[in-house]
Amino acid sequence: MLKIYRASAGSGKTFRLTRDYIRLLFDADTNNHHRRILAVTFTNKATEEMKSRIVKELYILAHGGDSAYHKELMQTFHLTDEGIKVKAKQILITVLHDYSSFSISTIDKFFQQVIRAFARDIGIHGGYFLELDTDEILEQAVDNLFFTLSDKENKQLLKWLTQYAEERIEEAENWNMRPNILQLGKEVFKEKYQHKAAETNDKMHDRNFLTSYKKRLNYIIKDFSDSSKNIAGEALSIIDQHGLTTDDFKGGSRSGIKNLEKITSGKFELQTSFLHMMDEASSCYTKGSPPEKQHAIEHAYHNGLQAKMLALKTKLEDEIIFYN
């Protein structure tokens, strides 16, 4: 009998398949029936999830816990509570002691096992290994991309790539975009991309979506960058207005307050020494500092410098994730 389940993500496929697998184990006369059951999944993640779920449910059933499968197993196999516990315990022990035969694998692994089992019959060496040369495929795809840029349907793509090259030149970076496209293309071969491939591809083929999405990303980047640099710049202005330089603060040329200068140059991270200076003005200078410098730092600190430092801390901690 063939059963087909059509279900979307999050609708309980793993729950149902785990139930079917456990029912097959309970339905057998012997405890090593797992050797005769083949379960095939798409991803390694799904494989581990299925295995973990089956073992977990068998453990719960064996110890009389609250399992969603308990009632159905009792009705189907006419077992008592104690009978369920005994049967589940026997199956669990057998599976754990023969875990290598607990066959839940990905599609590609299953077919490799089949090929290895019949390697001699199909005329290949038993010690073969499978190699996926994704780099060559990707390089060919990028070449095809550049060769077809003059096509009418790629007018928008050509415009995007031209804008990208101009942006990199403005940022004093290498205008050659090929390495970047290759690096981005490698994401396609990763399992985390494949898990969302259908949804992602729909978005990628919607050029209006991509244009608006790029604008949103650029806005987040520019807004965060500009506002962070402005706050840091205002803090440096307060220091300057009080006749001070960043070298006058505790630490001298290595002062934590120099973190402000790094932020104005686009390095958005907060150093521990900078954070320590936010608590009180005395943490910004040493006892050995000239009295006039101490007084100037105290005055600057209470006339806006501390407020700017705290604002910068809040800004970076709250928004750096979105910026990244």
Side-chain angles (χ1 to χ4, degrees):
M1 179 175 63
L2 174 65
K3 292 183 180 180
I4 299 176
Y5 301 131
R6 292 185 175 90
S8 57
S11 59
K13 291 190 297 297
T14 304
F15 175 88
R16 185 177 289 272
L17 292 172
T18 301
R19 182 201 68 180
D20 289 350
Y21 196 102
I22 291 176
R23 285 183 61 174
L24 288 171
L25 292 175
F26 267 75
D27 195 32
D29 295 330
T30 59
N31 292 328
N32 63 355
H33 194 59
H34 64 281
R35 291 186 174 187
R36 302 180 64 184
I37 304 173
L38 170 66
V40 179
T41 67
F42 281 100
T43 65
N44 290 318
K45 182 179 179 182
T47 296
E48 293 306 314
E49 185 180 356
M50 273 286 291
K51 280 192 170 184
S52 297
R53 182 76 69 90
I54 291 168
V55 171
K56 178 182 177 182
E57 289 299 331
L58 286 172
Y59 178 85
I60 292 173
L61 289 166
H63 289 78
D66 184 17
S67 171
Y69 307 107
H70 186 273
K71 185 177 180 180
E72 184 179 350
L73 290 171
M74 287 183 65
Q75 293 174 347
T76 303
F77 300 104
H78 308 292
L79 294 170
T80 62
D81 284 341
E82 187 62 29
I84 292 287
K85 288 170 63 177
V86 171
K87 183 71 172 177
K89 187 175 183 180
Q90 291 173 343
I91 295 171
L92 178 62
I93 291 173
T94 303
V95 168
L96 293 178
H97 281 81
D98 190 30
Y99 199 76
S100 60
S101 300
F102 185 24
S103 186
I104 299 178
S105 66
T106 57
I107 295 173
D108 58 318
K109 184 178 180 181
F110 168 66
F111 278 106
Q112 283 195 61
Q113 289 173 336
V114 172
I115 291 172
R116 288 189 187 280
F118 295 95
R120 184 175 179 181
D121 304 76
I122 60 180
I124 64 172
H125 193 275
Y128 85 96
F129 64 94
L130 184 65
E131 184 176 297
L132 299 176
D133 192 356
T134 56
D135 289 343
E136 183 178 348
I137 295 171
L138 183 58
E139 288 179 6
Q140 183 63 55
V142 173
D143 287 339
N144 293 339
L145 170 73
F146 285 120
F147 287 145
T148 58
L149 283 177
S150 58
D151 294 350
K152 185 178 180 180
E153 61 268 22
N154 288 332
K155 183 178 179 181
Q156 181 66 53
L157 178 59
L158 178 59
K159 182 180 178 182
W160 284 341
L161 292 177
T162 303
Q163 290 175 344
Y164 179 61
E166 291 173 348
E167 289 171 4
R168 291 186 63 81
I169 292 171
E170 289 175 2
E171 295 170 1
E173 295 186 19
N174 190 341
W175 64 269
N176 183 7
M177 65 193 75
R178 182 183 173 83
N180 300 79
I181 295 176
L182 286 169
Q183 187 64 36
L184 179 62
K186 290 179 180 179
E187 296 296 318
V188 174
F189 300 104
K190 295 181 180 179
E191 187 171 301
K192 65 180 181 181
Y193 172 85
Q194 296 297 331
H195 185 60
K196 293 281 188 178
E199 180 183 348
T200 305
N201 287 339
D202 287 341
K203 295 290 187 184
M204 289 300 175
H205 284 85
D206 184 350
R207 297 190 175 184
N208 291 328
F209 166 79
L210 287 177
T211 300
S212 62
Y213 189 64
K214 185 171 181 292
K215 286 181 180 178
R216 284 168 54 199
L217 294 180
N218 285 336
Y219 173 79
I220 292 172
I221 293 170
K222 190 174 187 305
D223 179 65
F224 175 84
S225 178
D226 290 349
S227 55
S228 299
K229 288 178 180 179
N230 286 339
I231 297 172
E234 289 167 359
L236 289 171
S237 294
I238 293 172
I239 292 172
D240 183 63
Q241 290 166 11
H242 287 78
L244 297 166
T245 68
T246 53
D247 287 345
D248 293 323
F249 287 73
K250 184 178 179 179
S253 60
R254 295 184 178 180
S255 172
I257 207 72
K258 285 187 175 290
N259 201 167
L260 295 170
E261 296 174 347
K262 292 182 178 180
I263 290 172
T264 58
S265 65
K267 296 179 180 178
F268 304 113
E269 57 181 283
L270 296 175
Q271 298 172 325
T272 304
S273 54
F274 176 79
L275 295 173
H276 287 163
M277 290 183 167
M278 295 181 185
D279 299 331
E280 53 186 357
S282 59
S283 62
C284 295
Y285 56 83
T286 62
K287 292 181 180 180
S289 301
E292 63 275 10
K293 293 293 184 184
Q294 293 184 26
H295 178 73
I297 290 173
E298 289 270 1
H299 200 254
Y301 192 82
H302 295 296
N303 281 275
L305 179 58
Q306 184 193 30
K308 295 297 179 185
M309 293 169 73
L310 291 171
L312 199 57
K313 177 177 180 290
T314 301
K315 180 77 177 177
L316 266 64
E317 289 183 347
D318 290 350
E319 300 180 24
I320 191 66
I321 293 176
F322 299 103
Y323 170 79
N324 285 336

